[in-house]
Amino acid sequence: MNQTPQTKTLLEQHNELRTKCLVYTRVMGYHRPVESFNIGKKGEHKQRTHFNEIKC
């Protein structure tokens, strides 16, 4: 993700307000946090194609 200098400064100014975001993904029928994956599985997750489901 490329950040402009303005965005970088804004993020630094409000760093104390930021919280860690856990990303979960569905693996073998249940949800697991991505941070618990090994290096190979994390690489696979980064290569996945994400999509947005259109509402009816």
Short mmCIF file of all heavy atoms in Angstrom, two decimals:
data_model
loop_
_atom_site.label_atom_id
_atom_site.label_comp_id
_atom_site.label_asym_id
_atom_site.label_seq_id
_atom_site.Cartn_x
_atom_site.Cartn_y
_atom_site.Cartn_z
N MET A 1 0.85 -1.18 0.00
CA MET A 1 0.00 0.00 0.00
C MET A 1 0.88 1.23 0.00
O MET A 1 1.66 1.45 0.92
CB MET A 1 -0.90 -0.04 1.24
CG MET A 1 -1.80 1.14 1.38
SD MET A 1 -2.99 0.88 2.71
CE MET A 1 -2.55 2.20 3.79
N ASN A 2 0.79 2.06 -1.03
CA ASN A 2 1.54 3.31 -1.09
C ASN A 2 0.78 4.39 -0.37
O ASN A 2 -0.41 4.59 -0.59
CB ASN A 2 1.77 3.72 -2.54
CG ASN A 2 2.80 2.84 -3.22
OD1 ASN A 2 3.66 2.28 -2.56
ND2 ASN A 2 2.72 2.73 -4.52
N GLN A 3 1.49 5.09 0.50
CA GLN A 3 0.86 6.16 1.26
C GLN A 3 1.46 7.49 0.84
O GLN A 3 2.67 7.61 0.64
CB GLN A 3 1.09 5.97 2.76
CG GLN A 3 0.44 4.74 3.31
CD GLN A 3 0.77 4.55 4.79
OE1 GLN A 3 1.63 5.20 5.33
NE2 GLN A 3 0.07 3.65 5.43
N THR A 4 0.62 8.49 0.70
CA THR A 4 1.11 9.83 0.42
C THR A 4 1.71 10.39 1.70
O THR A 4 1.40 9.93 2.79
CB THR A 4 -0.04 10.74 -0.06
OG1 THR A 4 -0.98 10.89 1.01
CG2 THR A 4 -0.74 10.17 -1.28
N PRO A 5 2.57 11.40 1.59
CA PRO A 5 3.13 12.01 2.80
C PRO A 5 2.06 12.56 3.73
O PRO A 5 2.18 12.48 4.95
CB PRO A 5 4.01 13.14 2.25
CG PRO A 5 4.37 12.71 0.87
CD PRO A 5 3.17 11.93 0.37
N GLN A 6 0.95 13.07 3.16
CA GLN A 6 -0.14 13.61 3.99
C GLN A 6 -0.80 12.49 4.80
O GLN A 6 -1.08 12.65 5.98
CB GLN A 6 -1.19 14.29 3.10
CG GLN A 6 -0.69 15.52 2.42
CD GLN A 6 -1.64 16.01 1.35
OE1 GLN A 6 -2.44 15.22 0.83
NE2 GLN A 6 -1.57 17.28 1.02
N THR A 7 -1.03 11.36 4.16
CA THR A 7 -1.67 10.22 4.84
C THR A 7 -0.75 9.69 5.93
O THR A 7 -1.20 9.39 7.03
CB THR A 7 -1.97 9.10 3.83
OG1 THR A 7 -2.77 9.61 2.78
CG2 THR A 7 -2.69 7.95 4.50
N LYS A 8 0.54 9.60 5.63
CA LYS A 8 1.50 9.10 6.60
C LYS A 8 1.54 10.00 7.83
O LYS A 8 1.55 9.52 8.96
CB LYS A 8 2.88 9.03 5.94
CG LYS A 8 3.80 8.04 6.55
CD LYS A 8 5.02 7.87 5.68
CE LYS A 8 5.81 6.67 6.14
NZ LYS A 8 6.99 6.45 5.34
N THR A 9 1.54 11.32 7.62
CA THR A 9 1.54 12.27 8.73
C THR A 9 0.27 12.14 9.55
O THR A 9 0.31 12.15 10.77
CB THR A 9 1.67 13.72 8.19
OG1 THR A 9 2.85 13.79 7.40
CG2 THR A 9 1.76 14.72 9.32
N LEU A 10 -0.86 12.01 8.89
CA LEU A 10 -2.15 11.88 9.57
C LEU A 10 -2.18 10.62 10.44
O LEU A 10 -2.63 10.65 11.58
CB LEU A 10 -3.28 11.86 8.55
CG LEU A 10 -4.70 11.91 9.09
CD1 LEU A 10 -4.92 13.21 9.86
CD2 LEU A 10 -5.69 11.81 7.96
N LEU A 11 -1.67 9.51 9.90
CA LEU A 11 -1.63 8.27 10.66
C LEU A 11 -0.71 8.39 11.87
O LEU A 11 -1.02 7.89 12.95
CB LEU A 11 -1.16 7.11 9.78
CG LEU A 11 -2.14 6.65 8.71
CD1 LEU A 11 -1.48 5.60 7.82
CD2 LEU A 11 -3.40 6.10 9.32
N GLU A 12 0.42 9.06 11.70
CA GLU A 12 1.35 9.24 12.81
C GLU A 12 0.75 10.11 13.91
O GLU A 12 0.97 9.88 15.09
CB GLU A 12 2.67 9.85 12.32
CG GLU A 12 3.49 8.88 11.50
CD GLU A 12 4.67 9.53 10.80
OE1 GLU A 12 4.82 10.76 10.87
OE2 GLU A 12 5.44 8.79 10.16
N GLN A 13 -0.03 11.13 13.54
CA GLN A 13 -0.64 12.03 14.50
C GLN A 13 -1.68 11.30 15.36
O GLN A 13 -1.86 11.61 16.52
CB GLN A 13 -1.34 13.20 13.80
CG GLN A 13 -0.38 14.20 13.21
CD GLN A 13 -1.11 15.26 12.40
OE1 GLN A 13 -2.30 15.15 12.14
NE2 GLN A 13 -0.39 16.29 12.00
N HIS A 14 -2.35 10.32 14.80
CA HIS A 14 -3.44 9.63 15.49
C HIS A 14 -3.07 8.18 15.83
O HIS A 14 -3.94 7.33 15.96
CB HIS A 14 -4.72 9.67 14.66
CG HIS A 14 -5.19 11.06 14.40
ND1 HIS A 14 -5.78 11.83 15.37
CD2 HIS A 14 -5.13 11.83 13.29
CE1 HIS A 14 -6.07 13.01 14.87
NE2 HIS A 14 -5.68 13.04 13.61
N ASN A 15 -1.79 7.91 15.98
CA ASN A 15 -1.32 6.55 16.23
C ASN A 15 -1.89 5.97 17.52
O ASN A 15 -2.17 4.79 17.61
CB ASN A 15 0.20 6.50 16.25
CG ASN A 15 0.72 5.10 16.07
OD1 ASN A 15 0.14 4.31 15.35
ND2 ASN A 15 1.82 4.80 16.74
N GLU A 16 -2.10 6.81 18.55
CA GLU A 16 -2.62 6.32 19.83
C GLU A 16 -4.07 5.86 19.73
O GLU A 16 -4.55 5.12 20.57
CB GLU A 16 -2.47 7.38 20.93
CG GLU A 16 -3.40 8.58 20.80
CD GLU A 16 -2.92 9.62 19.79
OE1 GLU A 16 -1.82 9.50 19.25
OE2 GLU A 16 -3.69 10.56 19.54
N LEU A 17 -4.78 6.28 18.69
CA LEU A 17 -6.18 5.90 18.51
C LEU A 17 -6.33 4.59 17.73
O LEU A 17 -7.41 4.01 17.70
CB LEU A 17 -6.95 7.00 17.77
CG LEU A 17 -7.00 8.35 18.47
CD1 LEU A 17 -7.67 9.38 17.56
CD2 LEU A 17 -7.71 8.25 19.79
N ARG A 18 -5.24 4.13 17.12
CA ARG A 18 -5.30 2.94 16.29
C ARG A 18 -5.31 1.68 17.15
O ARG A 18 -4.74 1.63 18.22
CB ARG A 18 -4.11 2.90 15.33
CG ARG A 18 -4.12 4.10 14.39
CD ARG A 18 -2.91 4.12 13.52
NE ARG A 18 -3.06 3.07 12.51
CZ ARG A 18 -2.08 2.72 11.70
NH1 ARG A 18 -0.90 3.26 11.79
NH2 ARG A 18 -2.30 1.79 10.80
N THR A 19 -6.02 0.66 16.67
CA THR A 19 -6.07 -0.62 17.36
C THR A 19 -5.73 -1.73 16.37
O THR A 19 -5.85 -1.56 15.16
CB THR A 19 -7.46 -0.90 17.96
OG1 THR A 19 -8.42 -0.91 16.91
CG2 THR A 19 -7.83 0.12 19.01
N LYS A 20 -5.31 -2.86 16.90
CA LYS A 20 -4.96 -3.99 16.06
C LYS A 20 -6.23 -4.62 15.49
O LYS A 20 -7.21 -4.82 16.20
CB LYS A 20 -4.20 -5.03 16.88
CG LYS A 20 -3.66 -6.16 16.07
CD LYS A 20 -2.81 -7.06 16.93
CE LYS A 20 -2.23 -8.16 16.09
NZ LYS A 20 -1.37 -9.03 16.89
N CYS A 21 -6.21 -4.90 14.22
CA CYS A 21 -7.35 -5.50 13.54
C CYS A 21 -7.03 -6.96 13.24
O CYS A 21 -6.06 -7.27 12.57
CB CYS A 21 -7.62 -4.76 12.24
SG CYS A 21 -8.96 -5.48 11.28
N LEU A 22 -7.83 -7.88 13.77
CA LEU A 22 -7.64 -9.29 13.48
C LEU A 22 -8.45 -9.66 12.24
O LEU A 22 -9.64 -9.37 12.16
CB LEU A 22 -8.11 -10.16 14.65
CG LEU A 22 -7.23 -10.14 15.89
CD1 LEU A 22 -7.84 -11.01 16.98
CD2 LEU A 22 -5.84 -10.65 15.57
N VAL A 23 -7.79 -10.29 11.30
CA VAL A 23 -8.45 -10.73 10.07
C VAL A 23 -8.66 -12.23 10.18
O VAL A 23 -7.73 -12.98 10.44
CB VAL A 23 -7.59 -10.39 8.84
CG1 VAL A 23 -8.24 -10.94 7.58
CG2 VAL A 23 -7.37 -8.90 8.74
N TYR A 24 -9.90 -12.65 10.03
CA TYR A 24 -10.24 -14.07 10.07
C TYR A 24 -10.58 -14.55 8.67
O TYR A 24 -11.08 -13.79 7.85
CB TYR A 24 -11.46 -14.31 10.97
CG TYR A 24 -11.14 -14.29 12.44
CD1 TYR A 24 -10.94 -13.10 13.11
CD2 TYR A 24 -11.04 -15.47 13.15
CE1 TYR A 24 -10.65 -13.08 14.46
CE2 TYR A 24 -10.75 -15.47 14.50
CZ TYR A 24 -10.56 -14.27 15.15
OH TYR A 24 -10.26 -14.26 16.47
N THR A 25 -10.30 -15.79 8.40
CA THR A 25 -10.66 -16.39 7.13
C THR A 25 -11.19 -17.79 7.39
O THR A 25 -10.88 -18.40 8.40
CB THR A 25 -9.46 -16.42 6.16
OG1 THR A 25 -9.91 -16.87 4.88
CG2 THR A 25 -8.36 -17.31 6.65
N ARG A 26 -11.99 -18.27 6.49
CA ARG A 26 -12.60 -19.59 6.65
C ARG A 26 -11.67 -20.64 6.09
O ARG A 26 -11.28 -20.60 4.92
CB ARG A 26 -13.94 -19.61 5.92
CG ARG A 26 -14.72 -20.86 6.19
CD ARG A 26 -16.13 -20.69 5.63
NE ARG A 26 -16.74 -21.99 5.53
CZ ARG A 26 -16.76 -22.73 4.43
NH1 ARG A 26 -16.21 -22.27 3.33
NH2 ARG A 26 -17.32 -23.92 4.42
N VAL A 27 -11.29 -21.61 6.92
CA VAL A 27 -10.40 -22.69 6.51
C VAL A 27 -11.04 -24.01 6.94
O VAL A 27 -11.33 -24.20 8.12
CB VAL A 27 -9.01 -22.55 7.17
CG1 VAL A 27 -8.12 -23.69 6.76
CG2 VAL A 27 -8.38 -21.22 6.81
N MET A 28 -11.25 -24.89 5.99
CA MET A 28 -11.79 -26.22 6.29
C MET A 28 -13.07 -26.16 7.12
O MET A 28 -13.26 -26.93 8.05
CB MET A 28 -10.74 -27.07 7.00
CG MET A 28 -9.48 -27.28 6.21
SD MET A 28 -9.70 -28.23 4.71
CE MET A 28 -10.04 -29.83 5.38
N GLY A 29 -13.94 -25.20 6.82
CA GLY A 29 -15.25 -25.14 7.46
C GLY A 29 -15.32 -24.34 8.75
O GLY A 29 -16.39 -24.23 9.33
N TYR A 30 -14.22 -23.78 9.21
CA TYR A 30 -14.29 -22.95 10.42
C TYR A 30 -13.39 -21.72 10.23
O TYR A 30 -12.55 -21.68 9.35
CB TYR A 30 -13.89 -23.74 11.68
CG TYR A 30 -12.52 -24.33 11.65
CD1 TYR A 30 -11.45 -23.66 12.23
CD2 TYR A 30 -12.28 -25.56 11.05
CE1 TYR A 30 -10.17 -24.20 12.21
CE2 TYR A 30 -11.00 -26.11 11.03
CZ TYR A 30 -9.95 -25.42 11.61
OH TYR A 30 -8.70 -25.95 11.59
N HIS A 31 -13.58 -20.71 11.06
CA HIS A 31 -12.85 -19.46 10.93
C HIS A 31 -11.62 -19.45 11.83
O HIS A 31 -11.69 -19.86 12.98
CB HIS A 31 -13.76 -18.28 11.28
CG HIS A 31 -14.85 -18.10 10.28
ND1 HIS A 31 -16.02 -18.82 10.33
CD2 HIS A 31 -14.92 -17.32 9.19
CE1 HIS A 31 -16.78 -18.46 9.32
NE2 HIS A 31 -16.14 -17.56 8.60
N ARG A 32 -10.50 -18.96 11.27
CA ARG A 32 -9.24 -18.86 12.01
C ARG A 32 -8.61 -17.51 11.73
O ARG A 32 -8.73 -16.98 10.62
CB ARG A 32 -8.27 -19.93 11.54
CG ARG A 32 -8.69 -21.32 11.94
CD ARG A 32 -7.63 -22.33 11.66
NE ARG A 32 -6.34 -21.90 12.17
CZ ARG A 32 -5.19 -22.47 11.86
NH1 ARG A 32 -5.16 -23.47 11.03
NH2 ARG A 32 -4.06 -22.04 12.36
N PRO A 33 -7.91 -16.93 12.72
CA PRO A 33 -7.21 -15.66 12.47
C PRO A 33 -6.01 -15.88 11.55
O PRO A 33 -5.27 -16.86 11.71
CB PRO A 33 -6.76 -15.20 13.85
CG PRO A 33 -6.79 -16.41 14.71
CD PRO A 33 -7.79 -17.36 14.10
N VAL A 34 -5.83 -15.00 10.59
CA VAL A 34 -4.74 -15.12 9.62
C VAL A 34 -3.39 -15.02 10.32
O VAL A 34 -2.43 -15.67 9.90
CB VAL A 34 -4.89 -14.04 8.53
CG1 VAL A 34 -3.69 -14.03 7.60
CG2 VAL A 34 -6.16 -14.26 7.73
N GLU A 35 -3.29 -14.26 11.40
CA GLU A 35 -1.99 -14.10 12.06
C GLU A 35 -1.47 -15.41 12.66
O GLU A 35 -0.28 -15.53 12.91
CB GLU A 35 -2.03 -13.01 13.13
CG GLU A 35 -2.73 -13.39 14.40
CD GLU A 35 -2.62 -12.30 15.46
OE1 GLU A 35 -2.22 -11.18 15.15
OE2 GLU A 35 -2.96 -12.61 16.61
N SER A 36 -2.33 -16.41 12.83
CA SER A 36 -1.87 -17.69 13.37
C SER A 36 -1.38 -18.65 12.27
O SER A 36 -0.94 -19.74 12.58
CB SER A 36 -2.99 -18.36 14.17
OG SER A 36 -4.02 -18.81 13.31
N PHE A 37 -1.47 -18.23 11.02
CA PHE A 37 -1.02 -19.06 9.90
C PHE A 37 0.50 -19.13 9.85
O PHE A 37 1.19 -18.22 10.29
CB PHE A 37 -1.49 -18.48 8.56
CG PHE A 37 -2.96 -18.62 8.28
CD1 PHE A 37 -3.49 -18.04 7.15
CD2 PHE A 37 -3.80 -19.30 9.12
CE1 PHE A 37 -4.83 -18.15 6.87
CE2 PHE A 37 -5.15 -19.42 8.85
CZ PHE A 37 -5.66 -18.84 7.71
N ASN A 38 1.02 -20.21 9.24
CA ASN A 38 2.46 -20.28 8.99
C ASN A 38 2.80 -19.43 7.77
O ASN A 38 1.91 -18.92 7.09
CB ASN A 38 2.93 -21.73 8.83
CG ASN A 38 2.30 -22.42 7.63
OD1 ASN A 38 2.05 -21.79 6.61
ND2 ASN A 38 2.07 -23.72 7.74
N ILE A 39 4.08 -19.27 7.47
CA ILE A 39 4.51 -18.38 6.38
C ILE A 39 3.89 -18.76 5.04
O ILE A 39 3.43 -17.90 4.29
CB ILE A 39 6.05 -18.38 6.27
CG1 ILE A 39 6.65 -17.63 7.44
CG2 ILE A 39 6.52 -17.78 4.97
CD1 ILE A 39 8.16 -17.63 7.49
N GLY A 40 3.86 -20.04 4.72
CA GLY A 40 3.29 -20.48 3.44
C GLY A 40 1.82 -20.16 3.31
O GLY A 40 1.35 -19.71 2.27
N LYS A 41 1.06 -20.40 4.37
CA LYS A 41 -0.38 -20.13 4.34
C LYS A 41 -0.65 -18.63 4.28
O LYS A 41 -1.58 -18.19 3.61
CB LYS A 41 -1.04 -20.76 5.58
CG LYS A 41 -2.54 -20.71 5.56
CD LYS A 41 -3.11 -21.38 4.35
CE LYS A 41 -3.68 -22.72 4.66
NZ LYS A 41 -4.41 -23.29 3.54
N LYS A 42 0.18 -17.81 4.94
CA LYS A 42 0.02 -16.35 4.86
C LYS A 42 0.25 -15.88 3.43
O LYS A 42 -0.45 -15.00 2.93
CB LYS A 42 1.00 -15.65 5.80
CG LYS A 42 0.59 -15.71 7.25
CD LYS A 42 1.59 -14.99 8.13
CE LYS A 42 1.21 -15.12 9.59
NZ LYS A 42 2.17 -14.48 10.49
N GLY A 43 1.24 -16.46 2.75
CA GLY A 43 1.50 -16.12 1.35
C GLY A 43 0.34 -16.48 0.46
O GLY A 43 -0.05 -15.72 -0.42
N GLU A 44 -0.25 -17.66 0.68
CA GLU A 44 -1.44 -18.08 -0.07
C GLU A 44 -2.57 -17.09 0.14
O GLU A 44 -3.28 -16.72 -0.79
CB GLU A 44 -1.92 -19.45 0.42
CG GLU A 44 -1.30 -20.62 -0.24
CD GLU A 44 -1.91 -21.92 0.28
OE1 GLU A 44 -3.14 -21.99 0.48
OE2 GLU A 44 -1.13 -22.86 0.50
N HIS A 45 -2.77 -16.67 1.38
CA HIS A 45 -3.86 -15.75 1.71
C HIS A 45 -3.69 -14.42 0.99
O HIS A 45 -4.66 -13.84 0.49
CB HIS A 45 -3.94 -15.53 3.22
CG HIS A 45 -5.09 -14.70 3.64
ND1 HIS A 45 -4.97 -13.36 3.89
CD2 HIS A 45 -6.39 -15.01 3.84
CE1 HIS A 45 -6.15 -12.88 4.23
NE2 HIS A 45 -7.03 -13.86 4.21
N LYS A 46 -2.45 -13.92 0.88
CA LYS A 46 -2.20 -12.65 0.19
C LYS A 46 -2.50 -12.75 -1.30
O LYS A 46 -2.86 -11.77 -1.93
CB LYS A 46 -0.75 -12.21 0.39
CG LYS A 46 -0.49 -11.61 1.73
CD LYS A 46 0.93 -11.11 1.84
CE LYS A 46 1.17 -10.49 3.19
NZ LYS A 46 2.53 -9.99 3.34
N GLN A 47 -2.34 -13.95 -1.88
CA GLN A 47 -2.55 -14.13 -3.31
C GLN A 47 -4.02 -14.36 -3.68
O GLN A 47 -4.36 -14.34 -4.86
CB GLN A 47 -1.73 -15.31 -3.82
CG GLN A 47 -0.25 -15.06 -3.81
CD GLN A 47 0.55 -16.26 -4.25
OE1 GLN A 47 0.04 -17.38 -4.34
NE2 GLN A 47 1.83 -16.04 -4.51
N ARG A 48 -4.87 -14.54 -2.71
CA ARG A 48 -6.29 -14.80 -3.00
C ARG A 48 -6.95 -13.60 -3.65
O ARG A 48 -6.59 -12.45 -3.42
CB ARG A 48 -7.06 -15.10 -1.71
CG ARG A 48 -6.71 -16.43 -1.13
CD ARG A 48 -7.56 -16.69 0.08
NE ARG A 48 -7.13 -17.91 0.76
CZ ARG A 48 -7.56 -18.29 1.93
NH1 ARG A 48 -8.44 -17.55 2.58
NH2 ARG A 48 -7.12 -19.39 2.48
N THR A 49 -7.94 -13.87 -4.47
CA THR A 49 -8.73 -12.83 -5.09
C THR A 49 -9.95 -12.56 -4.21
O THR A 49 -10.70 -13.48 -3.89
CB THR A 49 -9.21 -13.27 -6.49
OG1 THR A 49 -8.06 -13.59 -7.27
CG2 THR A 49 -10.00 -12.18 -7.17
N HIS A 50 -10.12 -11.31 -3.80
CA HIS A 50 -11.25 -10.94 -2.95
C HIS A 50 -12.35 -10.33 -3.82
O HIS A 50 -12.07 -9.72 -4.85
CB HIS A 50 -10.81 -9.95 -1.88
CG HIS A 50 -9.80 -10.53 -0.93
ND1 HIS A 50 -10.16 -11.27 0.16
CD2 HIS A 50 -8.45 -10.49 -0.94
CE1 HIS A 50 -9.08 -11.66 0.80
NE2 HIS A 50 -8.02 -11.22 0.15
N PHE A 51 -13.57 -10.50 -3.43
CA PHE A 51 -14.70 -9.95 -4.18
C PHE A 51 -15.74 -9.42 -3.21
O PHE A 51 -15.76 -9.77 -2.04
CB PHE A 51 -15.33 -11.01 -5.10
CG PHE A 51 -16.03 -12.10 -4.35
CD1 PHE A 51 -17.39 -12.04 -4.14
CD2 PHE A 51 -15.34 -13.20 -3.87
CE1 PHE A 51 -18.05 -13.04 -3.45
CE2 PHE A 51 -15.98 -14.21 -3.19
CZ PHE A 51 -17.35 -14.13 -2.96
N ASN A 52 -16.59 -8.53 -3.72
CA ASN A 52 -17.71 -7.99 -2.95
C ASN A 52 -18.99 -8.55 -3.52
O ASN A 52 -19.23 -8.47 -4.72
CB ASN A 52 -17.75 -6.45 -3.03
CG ASN A 52 -16.58 -5.83 -2.30
OD1 ASN A 52 -16.14 -6.33 -1.28
ND2 ASN A 52 -16.05 -4.75 -2.84
N GLU A 53 -19.79 -9.15 -2.67
CA GLU A 53 -21.05 -9.71 -3.10
C GLU A 53 -22.05 -8.58 -3.32
O GLU A 53 -22.18 -7.68 -2.48
CB GLU A 53 -21.59 -10.66 -2.04
CG GLU A 53 -22.80 -11.42 -2.47
CD GLU A 53 -23.22 -12.45 -1.45
OE1 GLU A 53 -22.55 -12.60 -0.41
OE2 GLU A 53 -24.24 -13.10 -1.69
N ILE A 54 -22.76 -8.61 -4.43
CA ILE A 54 -23.74 -7.59 -4.76
C ILE A 54 -25.06 -7.94 -4.09
O ILE A 54 -25.51 -9.09 -4.14
CB ILE A 54 -23.94 -7.49 -6.29
CG1 ILE A 54 -22.60 -7.10 -6.95
CG2 ILE A 54 -25.00 -6.48 -6.62
CD1 ILE A 54 -22.64 -7.19 -8.46
N LYS A 55 -25.68 -6.94 -3.44
CA LYS A 55 -26.97 -7.18 -2.78
C LYS A 55 -28.07 -7.33 -3.82
O LYS A 55 -28.03 -6.72 -4.89
CB LYS A 55 -27.33 -6.02 -1.86
CG LYS A 55 -26.43 -5.94 -0.65
CD LYS A 55 -26.89 -4.85 0.29
CE LYS A 55 -26.00 -4.81 1.50
NZ LYS A 55 -26.46 -3.81 2.47
N CYS A 56 -29.04 -8.16 -3.54
CA CYS A 56 -30.18 -8.37 -4.46
C CYS A 56 -31.11 -7.19 -4.43
O CYS A 56 -31.31 -6.55 -3.46
CB CYS A 56 -30.94 -9.62 -4.06
SG CYS A 56 -29.98 -11.12 -4.28
#
